Amino acid sequence: MNKNTLIGFVLIAIVLIGFSWWGQKQAAEQQAAAQAELARQDSIAKANPQPVDTLTQVEKTAQQLKADSARTFFTAMQEQALDSVVLRNDKVELTIYNKGGVVRKAKVLGYKDYRGNADVTLFDAKDQNMSFALPVNAKKEIINTADLYFETSNVTDKAATMTATGADGSKIVISYELGDSYLLHFNIKTEGMDQLFDPGHKTMFVMWKDSCRQQEKGYTFENRYASLTYKEVDGGTDHLSEGSNDTEQPEEALDWVAFKSQFFAAVLIPQKPFEKNARLVSMMHEKESHYLKSYTAELQTPFSPLESNSFEMYFGPNDFQILKHIDKQSQFGRDLDLEDLVYLGWWLVRWINRWFTLYIFDGLTALGLGMGIVLILITLLLKGITFPMVKKSYMSSAKMRVLKPKLEEATKQYDKPEDQMQKQQAMMQLYSQYGVSPLGGCLPMLIQMPIWIAMFFFVPNAIQLRGESFLWMEDLSTYDPIFEWSKPIWGIGDHLSLTCILFCVSNLLYSYMTMRQQRDQMIGQQANQLKMMQWMMYLMPVMFFFIFNDYSSGLNFYYFISLLFSAIIMWTLRKTTDDAKLLAILEANYKENKNNPKKQSGLAARLEAMQKQQEEMKRLREQMKKR
């Protein structure tokens, strides 16, 4: 590993720290401006009324007509006693109110929240609302289900029918059916209303709003993984910004829209895709509110008064395997790709997580092992797989170490700055003659980096770690504080995480051993440059502390044991390597190559070509001076 590589790693760490600081600053500014932005949007809306076909105008028109007794559903809009029905299975409990006829409360059963309650409440009536609006052009009115009181019928534990009846006998019927999983099926149909709709304008407007609750102890960490997510019909899955206020209007039709926190989601899936240019909004909340974000989705979908207009909703955990099998439970017969709600990283990292980490993780979990043991076993397995390459890389460094005296002797005449190219070429020639690859020492870092990044995305999204304890860690999905205080300190927060400290200490140990290994094989100016850079390498673990103090104890624990095992492997290889025996093998290689010289290739050949070019340019400059 040369100085450029070391500088590269240092710069990466500096960029990460800078980005983390900038992100925290931006998030704070965005949170402070959230209320001002909402107020500004309200003032703009009042000053500049929206077009008639927007949901903003739909709601406004409905309110203006509320007192009109000639309206189709005037009777259903009159104040009634609030009532509800509950649909329940072993997975979820859904409460449907007669006002609006929609689900106003959703509980995911069997998952404790961070306050210790037995079940997770995704939302209740004060947090969330959904409404369906129908423009009835024949009477120039807009029927909004949010304004109607529905009568309940056909109620069972898993089914219910909600009916709003108009003065002329027309009806809006919403039928619900809950299966045995997290998926709710429902359809909306009208009766006796087909003559009221303009044949050329049959659109249903859907307004969905929710204040996403904090469900985990680590507010800041959870907020990083909470987002309004959607899937385009002819594209992939995308989401609004997790760290700032954001508004988007996708130009493609949408398969579904999800209001997502770190480990749970509510997903709305239409039978007929939502039309283009839906309006999606995500607004940040302050930490003290115990809400992460406010989500708004203004959607349109084709509507027929002569048919049932079907939807499905998923209320449940962001579990890859559960989400993957929702397609089989859906009645719509298309690939929903809901498993994309579990973000596994960009393409290479996702491939590692999708086809390796998930299978290993699920296989070990199926054995009934604790999650801490699973993380240790995954680490041991990965170390076992990469050990042959790590050993080969270490032996390459060891060969360079035992050759160091010979290299110093062979290159001592090249001590001037202008002789560095010749020195490098002489070193490469000797390495080639002794059968040594000088680039092999960087291999362990190259091997481990994709795996480290893959686990960086996998562990925070693994709901199996949620609520699982191990050793001193009460919950592997969030931080494990050894000290906490009330007022946050910039860069640290309001706690010290023990696993983060252990990770940074093991990182410091591993960095020390790596630097010592590099120092033992470098000569001359290279060794001096390395000494100057040592303090920068030792600073990286300190930088990582400020980044990972808020991260989950499961991720920090994995990094801790991974680096600890790496340090143990390096120490063991160092202790078991016989330098004298290794040097004898290299001397034998040297004799063989001396008797049968090979043409230089690779880096040695390029250095030789560069040296010749440099010598030729030097010769031409000297000729020009003589003239």
Side-chain angles (χ1 to χ4, degrees), residues 328-587:
K328 298 178 182 178
Q329 302 167 24
S330 172
Q331 298 175 355
F332 299 156
R334 65 177 189 265
D335 294 332
L336 297 174
D337 295 327
L338 284 180
E339 63 268 22
D340 288 349
L341 288 172
V342 182
Y343 185 60
L344 298 178
W346 36 268
W347 68 272
L348 175 60
V349 172
R350 180 177 176 81
W351 187 90
I352 294 173
N353 281 329
R354 175 67 181 85
W355 302 108
F356 177 77
T357 312
L358 268 171
Y359 282 102
I360 299 300
F361 188 84
D362 290 342
L364 293 174
T365 303
L367 298 176
L369 302 174
M371 290 298 105
I373 300 297
V374 168
L375 289 174
I376 293 174
L377 291 178
I378 289 177
T379 306
L380 290 174
L381 178 62
L382 292 174
K383 293 301 178 184
I385 293 174
T386 59
F387 178 75
M389 292 176 285
V390 170
K391 183 178 180 181
K392 183 178 180 180
S393 173
Y394 174 81
M395 293 309 297
S396 177
S397 297
K399 291 174 182 179
M400 296 170 67
R401 184 182 72 245
V402 298
L403 285 177
K404 180 178 178 179
K406 294 184 178 295
L407 288 172
E408 290 177 336
E409 179 65 25
T411 60
K412 63 182 180 181
Q413 68 270 30
Y414 305 118
D415 57 350
K416 298 179 181 179
E418 61 268 21
D419 295 335
Q420 290 306 304
M421 183 66 69
Q422 291 175 292
K423 183 174 183 176
Q424 288 291 335
Q425 205 243 338
M427 290 172 58
M428 295 304 300
Q429 185 175 6
L430 278 174
Y431 284 142
S432 178
Q433 290 172 343
Y434 281 97
V436 176
S437 171
L439 298 180
C442 293
L443 190 59
M445 183 64 73
L446 297 177
I447 293 170
Q448 295 182 68
M449 189 60 69
I451 298 173
W452 269 49
I453 297 175
M455 295 301 287
F456 178 83
F457 288 105
F458 179 81
V459 173
N461 288 291
I463 193 172
Q464 293 85 349
L465 297 177
R466 185 179 186 272
E468 291 291 324
S469 62
F470 182 67
L471 299 177
W472 68 89
M473 295 165 281
E474 295 181 356
D475 186 346
L476 289 168
S477 69
T478 188
Y479 59 85
D480 56 321
I482 53 173
F483 295 109
E484 292 184 278
W485 50 88
S486 58
K487 189 175 181 180
I489 300 174
W490 181 89
I492 298 178
D494 56 5
H495 66 274
L496 288 178
S497 172
L498 178 56
T499 50
C500 180
I501 294 173
L502 292 174
F503 159 45
C504 293
V505 170
S506 63
N507 196 356
L508 186 64
L509 173 64
Y510 184 71
S511 297
Y512 168 76
M513 298 180 70
T514 302
M515 294 294 292
R516 187 181 67 173
Q517 179 175 304
Q518 296 296 324
R519 183 179 63 248
D520 289 346
Q521 68 190 42
M522 292 184 175
I523 64 173
Q525 189 176 2
Q526 286 183 334
N528 294 329
Q529 291 173 345
L530 185 63
K531 290 179 181 178
M532 295 173 61
M533 295 177 62
Q534 280 183 352
W535 70 271
M536 299 177 68
M537 292 300 296
Y538 296 148
L539 187 61
M540 287 182 64
V542 179
M543 295 179 179
F544 282 135
F545 168 77
F546 293 101
I547 297 174
F548 286 91
N549 190 47
D550 263 334
Y551 274 66
S552 67
S553 57
L555 181 64
N556 281 321
F557 180 69
Y558 168 79
Y559 284 156
F560 161 61
I561 57 176
S562 178
L563 283 167
L564 183 61
F565 284 143
S566 294
I568 293 173
I569 290 171
M570 185 178 295
W571 180 84
T572 303
L573 289 172
R574 180 68 179 259
K575 289 297 182 180
T576 56
T577 300
D578 189 332
D579 287 2
K581 185 177 180 180
L582 183 60
L583 182 58
I585 294 173
L586 294 176
E587 291 289 0

Side-chain angles (χ1 to χ4, degrees), residues 20-38:
S20 176
W21 172 83
W22 179 84
Q24 292 178 4
K25 182 179 178 182
Q26 288 293 105
E29 292 176 352
Q30 292 288 353
Q31 289 175 354
Q35 298 302 323
E37 174 67 15
L38 287 172

Side-chain angles (χ1 to χ4, degrees), residues 135-164:
V136 183
N137 295 330
K139 297 182 70 174
K140 295 183 179 180
E141 70 173 277
I142 295 172
I143 301 172
N144 192 332
T145 57
D147 300 325
L148 307 181
Y149 284 86
F150 288 76
E151 297 178 358
T152 59
S153 60
N154 304 321
V155 178
T156 67
D157 288 343
K158 297 182 180 180
T161 301
M162 313 295 292
T163 305

Side-chain angles (χ1 to χ4, degrees), residues 98 104 124 139 181 190 211 224 258 272 297 305-306 310-311 320 337 348 387 450 484 502 508 543 560 565 577 595 602:
N98 62 334
R104 297 299 304 276
D124 59 19
K139 297 182 70 174
S181 69
T190 60
S211 293
R224 291 189 181 102
K272 301 172 184 178
L306 301 176
S310 298
F311 296 85
F320 188 91
D337 295 327
L348 175 60
F387 178 75
E484 292 184 278
L502 292 174
L508 186 64
M543 295 179 179
F560 161 61
F565 284 143
T577 300
N595 296 329

Side-chain angles (χ1 to χ4, degrees), residues 72-224:
T72 306
F73 287 91
F74 175 77
T75 303
M77 295 182 65
Q78 304 312 302
E79 196 76 23
Q80 300 180 22
L82 195 62
D83 196 8
S84 64
V85 295
V86 177
L87 307 184
R88 182 186 174 102
N89 59 21
D90 293 336
K91 308 292 185 182
V92 293
E93 179 183 287
L94 308 175
T95 303
I96 303 170
Y97 282 18
N98 62 334
K99 176 68 181 297
V102 295
V103 177
R104 297 299 304 276
K105 185 176 183 179
K107 281 187 177 182
V108 182
L109 307 180
Y111 293 90
K112 291 184 179 180
D113 65 16
Y114 77 102
R115 295 184 177 92
N117 297 317
D119 305 309
V120 166
T121 299
L122 291 186
F123 56 79
D124 59 19
K126 71 177 183 296
D127 303 328
Q128 186 263 11
N129 194 17
M130 180 182 294
S131 62
F132 303 89
L134 300 171
V136 183
N137 295 330
K139 297 182 70 174
K140 295 183 179 180
E141 70 173 277
I142 295 172
I143 301 172
N144 192 332
T145 57
D147 300 325
L148 307 181
Y149 284 86
F150 288 76
E151 297 178 358
T152 59
S153 60
N154 304 321
V155 178
T156 67
D157 288 343
K158 297 182 180 180
T161 301
M162 313 295 292
T163 305
T165 305
D168 57 357
S170 57
K171 296 180 179 179
I172 295 177
V173 182
I174 308 177
S175 301
Y176 292 95
E177 181 182 355
L178 178 64
D180 295 326
S181 69
Y182 300 96
L183 198 64
L184 174 69
H185 311 272
F186 69 99
N187 61 74
I188 303 173
K189 65 179 181 179
T190 60
E191 297 178 6
M193 297 178 61
D194 51 294
Q195 299 301 318
L196 300 179
F197 294 96
D198 184 349
H201 188 77
K202 295 179 180 178
T203 299
M204 177 184 291
F205 295 92
V206 183
M207 171 69 82
W208 187 20
K209 296 181 178 180
D210 182 27
S211 293
C212 183
R213 291 186 173 194
Q214 177 186 352
Q215 303 290 359
E216 315 303 326
K217 180 175 71 173
Y219 175 89
T220 303
F221 187 64
E222 181 185 8
N223 221 343
R224 291 189 181 102

